[in-house]
Amino acid sequence: MLRLFMQSLDRLLGPALTGIASAVYLAGWVVLGLAFALPLWRLWLRRQEARAGVRRVWTVPCARCGPVAPVFGRTCVQCGQPLGLPLAVRLRALLHGFRAGVGSPRLMLGYHGAGLALFGLIVLWVVGHLAALGARGALERLFVGLGLLALAAFGRGAGRALGLRPHGLIGRTADAVQAFAAVGVLAICALLAGQSRPITERVLVTFFAGDAGAGGALPTLQPTGEGEAGLEYLQVDHEVLGYRRIVPLALVGAAPRPLPQRWPATWAVPRLRRDAERWGRRGLTVRVRRDLQAVTLGTPYDVVERQGQVQLRPRGAPSSAPAAAAAGGATR
């Protein structure tokens, strides 16, 4: 119901929302790029500071050696004159200096670099899950753009909440709440973008059900004894990434008819089938399936991939026509 509602809303409001959706979509990419580029720039600057030996420290006036003395303890590090600083101030100055890179620059760089790399992986996963690069409809682009903005807000909030820098407990809590709220907004936008996405399909192969030579230029396929025909294909799934790929292998009838393959399928398919168990341990499911359904002799058919499912329908039939129930199974 939600998909039907969103599709109807897209047809009704799509033309009016095109400009706004495009602006939000572009703004999402720009803000997300800045959310990743600015920490990367700061990380590079800190690396240059560490290589040059630059330190950021607190200073305090010293009565003996000058108006500026670094705070590392209760006495001046240059002349030994007592500075008269309270314990709480000395501890805060020491902690501030460590967070600024005095304690261990390599630790600081490694920690922030690991956090930035993790955020980059999250960005890649979310962009793939949203199919952000292929957004077409106005509503889909609008919700994808809002999702990218929420992702940028999550990166900022999480970075401030977990970063090694002077930040109070209240400030870190507020940033953590912002990050969790951004995750909620991102989940809602991902749901609405998926429901607003126009249903797409692609024709995998076309054949003529009948005797050899009767279909003209179309490849002909003799049905099985039960009057069925279909397709054998390789299906590759990754549930976490939401990835699915279907590679047609052969038309299935009274006698299988292999389909020609192009590179890189000619290189990838044999290796995927050979190492299916090893790929399965890594979360990538590789299966060879056969989908068959009853056909009528003398009729051309299109084998169509629609929303990750293989359907067989007479050529020229409307895309919304329901497909007959297919019988099939995974042989691997």
Side-chain angles (χ1 to χ4, degrees), residues 161-183:
L162 301 176
L164 295 178
R165 62 184 185 82
H167 205 27
L169 179 61
I170 296 178
R172 290 184 184 274
T173 303
D175 290 329
V177 170
Q178 174 189 326
F180 280 113
V183 170

PDB file of all heavy atoms in Angstrom, residues 161-183:
ATOM      1  N   ALA A 161      31.095  13.689  19.141  1.00  0.00           N
ATOM      2  CA  ALA A 161      30.851  12.946  20.372  1.00  0.00           C
ATOM      3  C   ALA A 161      32.000  12.010  20.723  1.00  0.00           C
ATOM      4  O   ALA A 161      32.281  11.776  21.904  1.00  0.00           O
ATOM      5  CB  ALA A 161      29.548  12.153  20.250  1.00  0.00           C
ATOM      6  N   LEU A 162      32.668  11.463  19.719  1.00  0.00           N
ATOM      7  CA  LEU A 162      33.727  10.477  19.959  1.00  0.00           C
ATOM      8  C   LEU A 162      35.125  11.029  19.741  1.00  0.00           C
ATOM      9  O   LEU A 162      36.101  10.298  19.932  1.00  0.00           O
ATOM     10  CB  LEU A 162      33.519   9.263  19.043  1.00  0.00           C
ATOM     11  CG  LEU A 162      32.185   8.518  19.210  1.00  0.00           C
ATOM     12  CD1 LEU A 162      32.065   7.411  18.180  1.00  0.00           C
ATOM     13  CD2 LEU A 162      32.045   7.959  20.612  1.00  0.00           C
ATOM     14  N   GLY A 163      35.243  12.270  19.312  1.00  0.00           N
ATOM     15  CA  GLY A 163      36.559  12.825  19.006  1.00  0.00           C
ATOM     16  C   GLY A 163      37.387  13.100  20.253  1.00  0.00           C
ATOM     17  O   GLY A 163      36.860  13.326  21.352  1.00  0.00           O
ATOM     18  N   LEU A 164      38.706  13.052  20.075  1.00  0.00           N
ATOM     19  CA  LEU A 164      39.640  13.355  21.157  1.00  0.00           C
ATOM     20  C   LEU A 164      39.947  14.842  21.131  1.00  0.00           C
ATOM     21  O   LEU A 164      40.963  15.296  20.633  1.00  0.00           O
ATOM     22  CB  LEU A 164      40.929  12.541  20.995  1.00  0.00           C
ATOM     23  CG  LEU A 164      40.788  11.027  21.129  1.00  0.00           C
ATOM     24  CD1 LEU A 164      42.138  10.364  20.904  1.00  0.00           C
ATOM     25  CD2 LEU A 164      40.229  10.644  22.483  1.00  0.00           C
ATOM     26  N   ARG A 165      39.072  15.609  21.695  1.00  0.00           N
ATOM     27  CA  ARG A 165      39.255  17.052  21.737  1.00  0.00           C
ATOM     28  C   ARG A 165      38.535  17.582  22.969  1.00  0.00           C
ATOM     29  O   ARG A 165      37.660  16.904  23.515  1.00  0.00           O
ATOM     30  CB  ARG A 165      38.700  17.728  20.480  1.00  0.00           C
ATOM     31  CG  ARG A 165      37.217  17.535  20.320  1.00  0.00           C
ATOM     32  CD  ARG A 165      36.712  18.144  19.016  1.00  0.00           C
ATOM     33  NE  ARG A 165      35.257  18.054  18.927  1.00  0.00           N
ATOM     34  CZ  ARG A 165      34.426  18.897  19.507  1.00  0.00           C
ATOM     35  NH1 ARG A 165      34.897  19.894  20.214  1.00  0.00           N
ATOM     36  NH2 ARG A 165      33.127  18.746  19.388  1.00  0.00           N
ATOM     37  N   PRO A 166      38.865  18.786  23.430  1.00  0.00           N
ATOM     38  CA  PRO A 166      38.196  19.344  24.604  1.00  0.00           C
ATOM     39  C   PRO A 166      36.699  19.500  24.353  1.00  0.00           C
ATOM     40  O   PRO A 166      36.284  20.261  23.484  1.00  0.00           O
ATOM     41  CB  PRO A 166      38.877  20.703  24.799  1.00  0.00           C
ATOM     42  CG  PRO A 166      40.176  20.589  24.071  1.00  0.00           C
ATOM     43  CD  PRO A 166      39.941  19.665  22.933  1.00  0.00           C
ATOM     44  N   HIS A 167      35.917  18.759  25.096  1.00  0.00           N
ATOM     45  CA  HIS A 167      34.476  18.793  24.918  1.00  0.00           C
ATOM     46  C   HIS A 167      33.851  18.274  26.198  1.00  0.00           C
ATOM     47  O   HIS A 167      34.186  17.180  26.659  1.00  0.00           O
ATOM     48  CB  HIS A 167      34.086  17.923  23.721  1.00  0.00           C
ATOM     49  CG  HIS A 167      32.793  18.340  23.090  1.00  0.00           C
ATOM     50  ND1 HIS A 167      32.308  19.627  23.143  1.00  0.00           N
ATOM     51  CD2 HIS A 167      31.873  17.637  22.373  1.00  0.00           C
ATOM     52  CE1 HIS A 167      31.159  19.692  22.486  1.00  0.00           C
ATOM     53  NE2 HIS A 167      30.868  18.497  22.014  1.00  0.00           N
ATOM     54  N   GLY A 168      32.915  19.027  26.747  1.00  0.00           N
ATOM     55  CA  GLY A 168      32.292  18.634  28.000  1.00  0.00           C
ATOM     56  C   GLY A 168      31.311  17.497  27.834  1.00  0.00           C
ATOM     57  O   GLY A 168      30.919  17.124  26.719  1.00  0.00           O
ATOM     58  N   LEU A 169      30.882  16.934  28.970  1.00  0.00           N
ATOM     59  CA  LEU A 169      29.946  15.821  28.949  1.00  0.00           C
ATOM     60  C   LEU A 169      28.611  16.217  28.344  1.00  0.00           C
ATOM     61  O   LEU A 169      28.015  15.465  27.565  1.00  0.00           O
ATOM     62  CB  LEU A 169      29.754  15.290  30.372  1.00  0.00           C
ATOM     63  CG  LEU A 169      28.767  14.134  30.536  1.00  0.00           C
ATOM     64  CD1 LEU A 169      29.222  12.933  29.727  1.00  0.00           C
ATOM     65  CD2 LEU A 169      28.595  13.776  32.004  1.00  0.00           C
ATOM     66  N   ILE A 170      28.148  17.417  28.671  1.00  0.00           N
ATOM     67  CA  ILE A 170      26.858  17.866  28.127  1.00  0.00           C
ATOM     68  C   ILE A 170      26.954  18.033  26.611  1.00  0.00           C
ATOM     69  O   ILE A 170      26.054  17.629  25.859  1.00  0.00           O
ATOM     70  CB  ILE A 170      26.432  19.182  28.800  1.00  0.00           C
ATOM     71  CG1 ILE A 170      26.196  18.953  30.299  1.00  0.00           C
ATOM     72  CG2 ILE A 170      25.178  19.733  28.137  1.00  0.00           C
ATOM     73  CD1 ILE A 170      25.810  20.209  31.048  1.00  0.00           C
ATOM     74  N   GLY A 171      28.050  18.619  26.145  1.00  0.00           N
ATOM     75  CA  GLY A 171      28.222  18.785  24.704  1.00  0.00           C
ATOM     76  C   GLY A 171      28.316  17.460  23.977  1.00  0.00           C
ATOM     77  O   GLY A 171      27.728  17.286  22.896  1.00  0.00           O
ATOM     78  N   ARG A 172      29.039  16.504  24.549  1.00  0.00           N
ATOM     79  CA  ARG A 172      29.138  15.189  23.914  1.00  0.00           C
ATOM     80  C   ARG A 172      27.779  14.483  23.901  1.00  0.00           C
ATOM     81  O   ARG A 172      27.434  13.802  22.932  1.00  0.00           O
ATOM     82  CB  ARG A 172      30.177  14.334  24.641  1.00  0.00           C
ATOM     83  CG  ARG A 172      31.605  14.801  24.437  1.00  0.00           C
ATOM     84  CD  ARG A 172      32.597  13.868  25.097  1.00  0.00           C
ATOM     85  NE  ARG A 172      33.947  14.392  24.963  1.00  0.00           N
ATOM     86  CZ  ARG A 172      34.734  14.174  23.918  1.00  0.00           C
ATOM     87  NH1 ARG A 172      34.288  13.444  22.915  1.00  0.00           N
ATOM     88  NH2 ARG A 172      35.952  14.684  23.870  1.00  0.00           N
ATOM     89  N   THR A 173      27.029  14.630  24.979  1.00  0.00           N
ATOM     90  CA  THR A 173      25.704  14.013  25.013  1.00  0.00           C
ATOM     91  C   THR A 173      24.797  14.610  23.945  1.00  0.00           C
ATOM     92  O   THR A 173      24.064  13.888  23.253  1.00  0.00           O
ATOM     93  CB  THR A 173      25.085  14.193  26.403  1.00  0.00           C
ATOM     94  OG1 THR A 173      25.954  13.626  27.396  1.00  0.00           O
ATOM     95  CG2 THR A 173      23.733  13.516  26.482  1.00  0.00           C
ATOM     96  N   ALA A 174      24.839  15.937  23.799  1.00  0.00           N
ATOM     97  CA  ALA A 174      24.020  16.586  22.773  1.00  0.00           C
ATOM     98  C   ALA A 174      24.421  16.124  21.373  1.00  0.00           C
ATOM     99  O   ALA A 174      23.560  15.877  20.511  1.00  0.00           O
ATOM    100  CB  ALA A 174      24.151  18.103  22.893  1.00  0.00           C
ATOM    101  N   ASP A 175      25.725  15.994  21.135  1.00  0.00           N
ATOM    102  CA  ASP A 175      26.171  15.517  19.823  1.00  0.00           C
ATOM    103  C   ASP A 175      25.753  14.067  19.583  1.00  0.00           C
ATOM    104  O   ASP A 175      25.397  13.691  18.456  1.00  0.00           O
ATOM    105  CB  ASP A 175      27.694  15.641  19.723  1.00  0.00           C
ATOM    106  CG  ASP A 175      28.144  17.098  19.652  1.00  0.00           C
ATOM    107  OD1 ASP A 175      27.386  17.914  19.108  1.00  0.00           O
ATOM    108  OD2 ASP A 175      29.238  17.398  20.157  1.00  0.00           O
ATOM    109  N   ALA A 176      25.806  13.227  20.629  1.00  0.00           N
ATOM    110  CA  ALA A 176      25.367  11.843  20.483  1.00  0.00           C
ATOM    111  C   ALA A 176      23.876  11.766  20.176  1.00  0.00           C
ATOM    112  O   ALA A 176      23.440  10.963  19.333  1.00  0.00           O
ATOM    113  CB  ALA A 176      25.700  11.048  21.745  1.00  0.00           C
ATOM    114  N   VAL A 177      23.079  12.598  20.845  1.00  0.00           N
ATOM    115  CA  VAL A 177      21.638  12.636  20.554  1.00  0.00           C
ATOM    116  C   VAL A 177      21.406  13.072  19.114  1.00  0.00           C
ATOM    117  O   VAL A 177      20.541  12.527  18.409  1.00  0.00           O
ATOM    118  CB  VAL A 177      20.931  13.571  21.558  1.00  0.00           C
ATOM    119  CG1 VAL A 177      19.488  13.816  21.135  1.00  0.00           C
ATOM    120  CG2 VAL A 177      20.982  12.976  22.958  1.00  0.00           C
ATOM    121  N   GLN A 178      22.176  14.062  18.651  1.00  0.00           N
ATOM    122  CA  GLN A 178      22.056  14.502  17.259  1.00  0.00           C
ATOM    123  C   GLN A 178      22.381  13.370  16.294  1.00  0.00           C
ATOM    124  O   GLN A 178      21.687  13.186  15.286  1.00  0.00           O
ATOM    125  CB  GLN A 178      22.992  15.676  17.012  1.00  0.00           C
ATOM    126  CG  GLN A 178      23.052  16.106  15.548  1.00  0.00           C
ATOM    127  CD  GLN A 178      24.147  17.122  15.283  1.00  0.00           C
ATOM    128  OE1 GLN A 178      24.439  17.941  16.135  1.00  0.00           O
ATOM    129  NE2 GLN A 178      24.753  17.078  14.104  1.00  0.00           N
ATOM    130  N   ALA A 179      23.421  12.600  16.595  1.00  0.00           N
ATOM    131  CA  ALA A 179      23.788  11.493  15.714  1.00  0.00           C
ATOM    132  C   ALA A 179      22.688  10.439  15.671  1.00  0.00           C
ATOM    133  O   ALA A 179      22.337   9.923  14.596  1.00  0.00           O
ATOM    134  CB  ALA A 179      25.107  10.874  16.187  1.00  0.00           C
ATOM    135  N   PHE A 180      22.110  10.092  16.835  1.00  0.00           N
ATOM    136  CA  PHE A 180      21.031   9.094  16.858  1.00  0.00           C
ATOM    137  C   PHE A 180      19.789   9.612  16.132  1.00  0.00           C
ATOM    138  O   PHE A 180      19.114   8.852  15.420  1.00  0.00           O
ATOM    139  CB  PHE A 180      20.689   8.734  18.296  1.00  0.00           C
ATOM    140  CG  PHE A 180      21.637   7.745  18.910  1.00  0.00           C
ATOM    141  CD1 PHE A 180      22.475   8.115  19.943  1.00  0.00           C
ATOM    142  CD2 PHE A 180      21.700   6.438  18.454  1.00  0.00           C
ATOM    143  CE1 PHE A 180      23.362   7.210  20.506  1.00  0.00           C
ATOM    144  CE2 PHE A 180      22.577   5.518  19.009  1.00  0.00           C
ATOM    145  CZ  PHE A 180      23.407   5.911  20.039  1.00  0.00           C
ATOM    146  N   ALA A 181      19.474  10.900  16.303  1.00  0.00           N
ATOM    147  CA  ALA A 181      18.334  11.464  15.588  1.00  0.00           C
ATOM    148  C   ALA A 181      18.564  11.434  14.083  1.00  0.00           C
ATOM    149  O   ALA A 181      17.641  11.148  13.299  1.00  0.00           O
ATOM    150  CB  ALA A 181      18.087  12.893  16.065  1.00  0.00           C
ATOM    151  N   ALA A 182      19.792  11.718  13.658  1.00  0.00           N
ATOM    152  CA  ALA A 182      20.107  11.671  12.223  1.00  0.00           C
ATOM    153  C   ALA A 182      19.951  10.257  11.672  1.00  0.00           C
ATOM    154  O   ALA A 182      19.504  10.084  10.536  1.00  0.00           O
ATOM    155  CB  ALA A 182      21.524  12.185  11.991  1.00  0.00           C
ATOM    156  N   VAL A 183      20.304   9.248  12.472  1.00  0.00           N
ATOM    157  CA  VAL A 183      20.118   7.863  12.031  1.00  0.00           C
ATOM    158  C   VAL A 183      18.639   7.568  11.821  1.00  0.00           C
ATOM    159  O   VAL A 183      18.240   6.909  10.849  1.00  0.00           O
ATOM    160  CB  VAL A 183      20.742   6.895  13.050  1.00  0.00           C
ATOM    161  CG1 VAL A 183      20.353   5.456  12.735  1.00  0.00           C
ATOM    162  CG2 VAL A 183      22.256   7.020  13.043  1.00  0.00           C
TER     163      VAL A 183
END
